[in-house]
Amino acid sequence: MRGKIILRLHALVLSVLLCSCINDDITDDKSAQPEFSCEVLDMGTVFTGSSSPVYAFKVYNRNKGGIVIGSVGFRDGSASAGFALNVDGEAGTRFENIEIPGKDSIYVFVKAVMPPVGTPEPVRVSAPLDFITNGVKSTVLLEALAQDVIRVEPGTVDGAVEWNSEYPYNILGTVIVPEGSELDIARGTRLYFHAGAGLRISGRLVVDGTSDAPVLMCGDRFGNVASSIPYDVVPGQWRGIELSGPSSECKMNFTTVANTGIGVVADGSTRLSLLNCRLRNSSSSVLSAAATDVKAVGCEFAGAPAGVIVLDGGSHIFNHCTVANDYLFSPVEGAMLVLESERTEVVFANSILYGVGPLHTPADINGRHVYFKRCLLKTDGFDDTNYSDILWGVDPCFDLLPEEYRFDYRLTSQSPAIGAGDAMLSLPESSVDFYGLQRGSAPDLGAYVYRDILQSK
């Protein structure tokens, strides 16, 4: 009996081995072709003169038998398009006789090193990458937007300096604006900060965006960090903006500050003025102010685990602002509004505070100069000295889709915030929102005027 079992096992092993050999046989059938994880590998924006991150796609052999890709290479026979390849662990520009066993796959890694294009506008660069298998050609198109930039090394601004919008800026380290100096950033300027880079202001910072030409400050990574997570929503890519000292001052209009480690931090500054700005996606808080007066009109503050806004002393005005939190990258431990000191005075009017975490800490503000006037608040409650004419515990119906990493804090048509504002509480500078839409005589609560978002995209 034991001998029969051993014979059967030998037969089974032999059968498996024979099947494996058959499956791994190389076929020259023209119908046996590879499949690809993408038809177009879009690498997004690539700054010229420096290497892009490495991107990858997979080449699958869905057949039972093995296939040999006779050649892999750029259609023009060179890497002049600015793309470098690594196919199945081998670097080069052209590859031959790449074998893929049955039901297996290989990786193709790609990076771009683009030469200057000589224009302020980005130039789309495309390179067909051809795979010849059993005499049949298949192609994956490599694409990137080559963008010339002005690179700014770590250093100190001396006197009055303007950065204009002709070319984007790639900030490679900390730029210091000392006492007595001023950095002016013109409308439409784009600043892309490298890891660890930031602005440190002891003098004056003026950012003069407009609704039709806003200013952008964000990290210098493009595309997706992993699977479908875009770098647009990832915090901690650069340090942020630090204002310190009694001579420091900052005025920002129509400006987005995103993906920071510390957000905008003002410590003992004379003044921080924000008009129609968006401060979003910080690893800590998007705004922190100690012994600094803040005036924020038409602003969005969103996405932070340690308190979205942190105030320690000072006198503050938030008019037509949206404070929201749907932070995904670590547990939310702070409130949407953190009041560090009893000396803090703040008024929120015609605003929305809604999201993950407590509304404010401390929870009891009785007797403090903290007031909410005609606001939509996440929590349930009742009007008293600190809260007047409040929409309690209702959903503002933002245009959110967190599972697809869309964090749009404009209002949808079902929002109770539409037309719910008090025009008597609106400041004159709040007349238009970030997108240039008029608030009118029946203003909406929050930073944004409602419109049909589907038509506006």
Side-chain angles (χ1 to χ4, degrees):
M1 183 68 179
R2 181 180 177 186
K4 290 182 179 179
I5 293 174
I6 292 174
L7 285 174
R8 288 174 181 172
L9 287 173
H10 285 170
L12 179 61
V13 171
L14 181 60
S15 174
V16 171
L17 290 174
L18 287 173
C19 289
S20 299
C21 291
I22 292 171
N23 288 344
D24 287 340
D25 281 348
I26 302 302
T27 177
D28 59 1
D29 190 329
K30 288 184 180 295
S31 66
Q33 294 295 314
E35 295 181 8
F36 305 92
S37 60
C38 64
E39 295 181 358
V40 178
L41 182 67
D42 190 347
M43 302 174 69
T45 301
V46 175
F47 294 150
T48 60
S50 62
S51 177
S52 75
V54 175
Y55 293 79
F57 64 91
K58 293 187 77 172
V59 184
Y60 299 95
N61 177 15
R62 307 293 191 187
N63 304 280
K64 290 184 178 180
I67 60 173
V68 173
I69 301 177
S71 67
V72 179
F74 293 104
R75 188 166 296 174
D76 63 3
S78 72
S80 59
F83 298 97
L85 301 177
N86 183 301
V87 178
D88 198 25
E90 296 289 334
T93 58
R94 186 172 180 82
F95 308 84
E96 295 182 348
N97 299 323
I98 305 297
E99 182 176 340
I100 308 179
K103 303 298 182 180
D104 206 345
S105 62
I106 62 171
Y107 275 101
V108 176
F109 297 97
V110 185
K111 69 177 180 179
V113 182
M114 298 291 174
V117 296
T119 65
E121 297 303 318
V123 173
R124 181 162 291 280
V125 179
S126 300
L129 184 62
D130 292 333
F131 295 73
I132 309 298
T133 308
N134 296 331
V136 178
K137 180 172 70 176
S138 50
T139 302
V140 172
L141 185 64
L142 309 183
E143 289 194 338
L145 281 174
Q147 174 70 71
D148 286 354
V149 296
I150 298 172
R151 287 184 169 80
V152 180
E153 299 289 343
T156 299
V157 169
D158 185 15
V161 174
E162 181 184 72
W163 290 351
N164 61 45
S165 62
E166 183 177 11
Y167 286 92
Y169 292 79
N170 189 197
I171 315 300
L172 302 178
T174 299
V175 175
I176 299 171
V177 181
E179 184 176 346
S181 292
E182 179 173 322
L183 176 61
D184 293 312
I185 300 175
R187 54 178 290 175
T189 302
R190 292 164 290 161
L191 307 181
Y192 297 100
F193 291 81
H194 199 58
L199 297 176
R200 190 177 301 161
I201 313 297
S202 297
R204 193 164 188 260
L205 174 66
V206 178
V207 187
D208 196 21
T210 62
S211 61
D212 59 345
V215 170
L216 174 64
M217 302 183 186
C218 64
D220 64 358
R221 302 294 299 270
F222 299 92
N224 292 344
V225 61
S227 63
S228 60
I229 304 175
Y231 274 107
D232 283 349
V233 302
V234 176
Q237 295 183 49
W238 59 290
R239 183 162 176 79
I241 301 173
E242 299 170 87
L243 302 146
S244 62
S247 297
S248 62
E249 181 181 351
C250 177
K251 178 182 179 182
M252 290 198 291
N253 298 337
F254 294 89
T255 301
T256 297
V257 181
N259 321 123
T260 61
I262 63 171
V264 176
V265 178
D267 187 358
S269 303
T270 57
R271 183 171 53 188
L272 173 58
S273 175
L274 305 171
L275 174 62
N276 290 332
C277 292
R278 303 190 298 179
L279 278 57
R280 48 170 58 176
N281 302 333
S282 170
S283 297
S284 54
S285 301
V286 297
L287 173 65
S288 302
T292 300
D293 295 342
V294 176
K295 184 178 183 180
V297 179
C299 294
E300 172 196 313
F301 303 92
V308 179
I309 297 174
V310 179
L311 304 176
D312 185 1
S315 180
H316 313 283
I317 296 172
F318 292 85
N319 193 262
H320 278 291
C321 289
T322 294
V323 183
N325 208 7
D326 294 276
Y327 194 79
L328 297 177
F329 298 96
S330 66
V332 173
E333 299 178 349
M336 282 175 281
L337 175 64
V338 178
L339 304 168
E340 295 279 12
S341 168
E342 292 186 0
R343 301 187 307 275
T344 306
E345 299 180 3
V346 58
V347 177
F348 278 87
N350 282 341
S351 295
I352 298 173
L353 291 88
Y354 193 92
V356 178
L359 174 64
H360 53 67
T361 54
D364 184 5
I365 57 173
N366 184 41
R368 301 180 63 167
H369 295 289
V370 177
Y371 304 103
F372 298 89
K373 301 179 180 181
R374 195 51 182 171
C375 294
L376 186 156
L377 304 181
K378 171 192 174 182
T379 188
D380 290 325
F382 53 88
D383 289 5
D384 60 16
T385 303
N386 298 102
Y387 308 94
S388 57
D389 203 17
I390 300 297
L391 277 66
W392 291 102
V394 294
D395 189 337
C397 299
F398 296 132
D399 186 33
L400 296 178
L401 201 57
E403 60 271 23
E404 295 184 7
Y405 303 100
R406 187 178 79 219
F407 301 97
D408 189 336
Y409 292 104
R410 287 177 287 180
L411 306 174
T412 56
S413 59
Q414 301 82 22
S415 176
I418 297 173
D422 182 348
M424 297 296 292
L425 295 173
S426 298
L427 296 178
E429 55 265 52
S430 73
S431 59
V432 300
D433 73 356
F434 180 87
Y435 298 96
L437 299 177
Q438 295 283 337
R439 296 197 190 275
S441 58
D444 302 337
L445 297 178
Y448 303 114
V449 175
Y450 168 73
R451 61 177 170 180
D452 190 328
I453 294 177
L454 291 178
Q455 292 181 5
S456 67
K457 289 182 177 178

